[in-house]
Amino acid sequence: MECPHLTSSVCIGPDSAALPSGCPSSWCCSVCRSNKSPWVCLTCSSVHCGRYVNGHAKKHYEDSQSQTASHKRQEKPEPERTQHTVCMDCSSYSTYCYRCDDFVVNDTKLCLVQKVREHLQNLENSAFTVERHRKRKFLENSAHNKKLLKVNGSTTALCATGLRNLGNTCFMNAILQSLSNIEQFCCYFKELPAVELRNGKTAGRRIYHTRSQGEVNVSLVEEFRKTLCALWQGSQTAFSPESLFYVVWKIMPNFRGYQQQDAHEFMRYLLDHLHLELQGELDGSSQAIKSPANTSQSTSSKCCINGATTVVTSVFGGVLQNEVNCLICGTESRKFDPFLDLSLDIPSQFRNKRCKNQDNGPICTLRDCLRSFTDLEELDETELYMCLKCKKKQKSTKKFWIQKLPKVLCLHLKRFHWTAYLRNKVDTYVEFPLRGLDMKCFLLEPENIGPESCLYDLAAVVVHHGSGVGSGHYTAYATHEGRWFHFNDSTVTLTEEETVAKAKAYILFYVERPLLVVPEKL
């Protein structure tokens, strides 16, 4: 939106002596000295922490409003002038007006906001350059120190790259970091050639039809590829996924704006659109992309979602068998449903158990959630089944079986549910294994499956911190080359398995354990 009083609210410029020096994203709040989520006031240049830390930026606005009101009462009455306090995020450089209660996109006649933004970006780039030179010099001096920093370091993971928050985009960052650590999925995209090299400058680009933008010629696959290539190169501390987010805005209207979004919903939209765009490249609308992953894709139509198989369905695609039995005549109906992830309810008897060490009853496990998903269930009055034999809606039972397991099993724990007019969070701790998740007992025909082919090891976890889906913060844990990392937007740290195991998981990514090939005896 545009703030109508921006010109009178912005009183500082890039040459203002009041602006702090150093890296803007690490500036400290002038009240609590926290360097998390710093915001600089464009009226007085003071720095305060955001509302999801200690909220001193908002408190600064409220204090300035009360001081202005008190000053007006002491002076002669004048026509009331609305006071707006505009501040800038020191990490994403987006501007926010507390009086308008929204992000603003306009600027002053002298373009002061853009000049301040460019000044902060220059400070950030200078700080990154100095830090990168310092690290390079330190590592060149001692290979032993390099090993200690990478293995035993507790603050910074040198080889990993964070993702900058562009304004409540932690939901996107957590999903991207998780997917970047699923090797068989990530490698497919990183091995793709650049979009302009495939078959002309517009090859690989899909035309999307949107209500407000008309025809939009963009490539989600290309921007996703660029983002994955930027991660794990070790050349920068944090990468800004602005181009990818721009494409997301263009083709996924639900995610426009800077409101907090649901990470699971974003993941499904992302995978579905990647699948559709890759289908367009495989069905002849542009050149088919050739990659080693193509040769291993299954041609089974059961695993296909909306048409031909792509790397999305070959990696995440599984099949459920849905059995419905009429309780009146006993008629059984079966159908196969393809899936990319499974959404699991947390059983109601565990919903008061908020942490692992709490003593009020047994701990909820991931197996409890899976068992609740596959248990026989009697459908209620609002879900009556249309029986073909009885020729009317009847009471019935429903049961799910897993007919085919995917290579990567994505499990979504349903932590948000509607009660009356509110969407509340289920904050129950769910215990999950880091290795050896055995899915054999949930299969339709387990006797036809070998014991090793049903085991899964954890690759990544998405965690939601906070009380509601429209607020809070998302982070991710992921394993890379045997070590666990914690991804918190632009900050990446090494962590321990014990820390991962204590997390209140929202989305879990399990990778199929590879089969051990026993050599034949001569």
Side-chain angles (χ1 to χ4, degrees):
M1 63 157 291
E2 294 189 0
C3 175
H5 299 276
L6 187 70
T7 300
S8 61
S9 302
V10 178
C11 302
I12 66 171
D15 54 347
S16 174
L19 281 173
S21 59
C23 180
S25 60
S26 61
W27 286 350
C28 295
C29 173
S30 59
V31 179
C32 64
R33 309 308 300 168
S34 171
N35 63 354
K36 295 181 179 179
S37 184
W39 291 74
V40 59
C41 176
L42 298 187
T43 302
C44 65
S45 75
S46 58
V47 178
H48 296 90
C49 59
R51 65 178 67 193
Y52 297 121
V53 184
N54 292 315
H56 287 124
K58 187 176 181 181
K59 183 69 164 56
H60 172 66
Y61 156 72
E62 293 169 347
D63 291 345
S64 65
Q65 292 295 102
S66 60
Q67 291 173 7
T68 302
S70 175
H71 183 67
K72 283 183 177 181
R73 283 194 295 268
Q74 296 174 4
E75 294 181 345
K76 294 180 180 180
E78 294 181 357
E80 185 176 354
R81 184 182 178 184
T82 307
Q83 295 295 321
H84 289 243
T85 299
V86 180
C87 56
M88 181 177 290
D89 187 341
C90 297
S91 296
S92 65
Y93 314 119
S94 55
T95 51
Y96 188 88
C97 177
Y98 277 103
R99 184 62 180 260
C100 299
D101 195 23
D102 203 350
F103 288 90
V104 295
V105 296
N106 57 317
D107 204 340
T108 65
K109 291 182 180 179
L110 298 176
C111 298
L112 289 178
V113 174
Q114 181 60 24
K115 289 179 180 179
V116 172
R117 183 180 288 115
E118 292 173 356
H119 179 67
L120 297 189
Q121 288 174 334
N122 290 334
L123 288 176
E124 186 88 11
N125 293 335
S126 299
F128 280 143
T129 301
V130 171
E131 180 67 11
R132 191 157 55 240
H133 283 307
R134 186 191 67 79
K135 286 181 179 178
R136 186 181 295 117
K137 185 176 180 180
F138 180 73
L139 295 175
E140 288 173 354
N141 288 339
S142 174
H144 178 65
N145 285 345
K146 177 181 179 181
K147 183 177 179 181
L148 288 177
L149 276 171
K150 292 187 72 175
V151 177
N152 299 324
S154 58
T155 56
T156 305
L158 298 181
C159 60
T161 300
L163 287 169
R164 290 180 186 167
N165 194 313
L166 306 177
N168 280 332
T169 57
C170 55
F171 68 92
M172 178 179 75
N173 293 346
I175 294 298
L176 293 176
Q177 293 286 13
S178 299
L179 295 178
S180 75
N181 286 283
I182 299 174
E183 186 175 359
Q184 52 193 320
F185 183 71
C186 178
C187 287
Y188 173 87
F189 289 94
K190 290 199 293 186
E191 291 172 3
L192 292 177
V195 67
E196 61 271 13
L197 299 179
R198 293 182 200 161
N199 187 21
K201 291 187 176 180
T202 59
R205 296 182 180 269
R206 183 179 177 90
I207 297 178
Y208 294 89
H209 298 270
T210 63
R211 187 173 301 173
S212 59
Q213 301 290 335
E215 289 190 354
V216 181
N217 192 359
V218 293
S219 174
L220 179 63
V221 170
E222 174 64 7
E223 297 306 331
F224 186 66
R225 181 194 70 82
K226 289 179 181 177
T227 302
L228 294 182
C229 288
L231 302 175
W232 296 107
Q233 289 184 345
S235 58
Q236 53 186 332
T237 306
F239 173 75
S240 182
E242 292 175 345
S243 298
L244 176 61
F245 196 43
Y246 170 78
V247 175
V248 169
W249 274 33
K250 288 288 185 183
I251 65 177
M252 305 180 197
N254 290 6
F255 297 97
R256 291 177 188 167
Y258 295 98
Q259 300 84 10
Q260 181 64 281
Q261 303 283 355
D262 184 88
H264 174 252
E265 185 180 357
F266 171 75
M267 182 196 74
R268 285 307 312 267
Y269 269 90
L270 178 66
L271 292 179
D272 288 345
H273 279 82
L274 287 172
H275 173 64
L276 289 173
E277 192 170 315
L278 288 169
Q279 276 185 324
E281 295 174 344
L282 290 170
D283 66 12
S285 59
S286 66
Q287 272 195 330
I289 301 172
K290 294 184 179 180
S291 172
N294 280 89
T295 58
S296 63
Q297 290 179 3
S298 170
T299 58
S300 172
S301 61
K302 288 181 182 178
C303 301
C304 298
I305 299 174
N306 299 327
T309 301
T310 67
V311 67
V312 175
T313 52
S314 70
V315 172
F316 291 97
V319 180
L320 287 174
Q321 178 175 294
N322 184 359
E323 294 182 359
V324 179
N325 286 278
C326 176
L327 292 177
I328 306 301
C329 68
T331 299
E332 184 179 90
S333 172
R334 296 180 183 178
K335 69 173 183 175
F336 292 102
D337 296 319
F339 68 87
L340 295 179
D341 69 310
L342 297 178
S343 292
L344 311 178
D345 282 304
I346 298 175
S348 57
Q349 65 267 30
F350 297 108
R351 292 193 177 178
N352 292 326
K353 187 84 172 181
R354 299 199 168 209
C355 63
K356 187 173 183 178
N357 299 324
Q358 197 171 331
D359 295 328
N360 58 340
I363 294 175
C364 180
T365 66
L366 186 59
R367 185 169 289 272
D368 292 322
C369 299
L370 285 165
R371 193 177 295 114
S372 175
F373 178 78
T374 57
D375 276 350
L376 188 69
E377 173 191 4
E378 184 172 341
L379 300 178
D380 58 31
E381 296 291 335
T382 61
E383 300 177 298
L384 292 179
Y385 162 66
M386 183 64 187
C387 179
L388 296 179
K389 187 175 180 179
C390 299
K391 295 183 179 180
K392 63 177 181 178
K393 291 185 177 181
Q394 300 283 26
K395 286 188 176 181
S396 58
T397 60
K398 179 179 72 173
K399 180 173 176 60
F400 284 119
W401 294 95
I402 299 177
Q403 198 269 342
K404 177 188 176 296
L405 285 166
K407 295 175 183 176
V408 175
L409 179 63
C410 179
L411 301 175
H412 160 235
L413 299 179
K414 295 162 74 172
R415 291 197 174 274
F416 302 105
H417 66 100
W418 287 98
T419 56
Y421 301 102
L422 299 175
R423 196 178 187 190
N424 294 329
K425 181 179 178 182
V426 180
D427 206 29
T428 303
Y429 171 75
V430 178
E431 189 176 63
F432 53 91
L434 272 64
R435 299 180 188 85
L437 173 65
D438 191 352
M439 294 294 294
K440 189 171 184 177
C441 61
F442 305 108
L443 286 174
L444 179 63
E445 298 175 341
E447 64 277 2
N448 298 331
I449 305 295
E452 291 291 327
S453 59
C454 300
L455 295 179
Y456 286 80
D457 298 322
L458 189 65
V461 187
V462 174
V463 181
H464 177 268
H465 311 267
S467 58
V469 67
S471 60
H473 184 59
Y474 286 99
T475 65
Y477 294 95
T479 180
H480 183 80
E481 295 180 353
R483 291 173 294 160
W484 280 96
F485 294 86
H486 183 217
F487 298 92
N488 183 5
D489 287 335
S490 57
T491 303
V492 184
T493 55
L494 279 167
T495 190
E496 302 294 331
E497 288 188 353
E498 293 77 11
T499 304
V500 179
K502 292 177 182 177
K504 293 181 180 179
Y506 182 47
I507 306 172
L508 296 150
F509 296 88
Y510 280 94
V511 176
E512 183 182 38
R513 182 178 292 181
L515 296 175
L516 295 176
V517 179
V518 181
E520 295 181 2
K521 294 182 180 180
L522 297 176

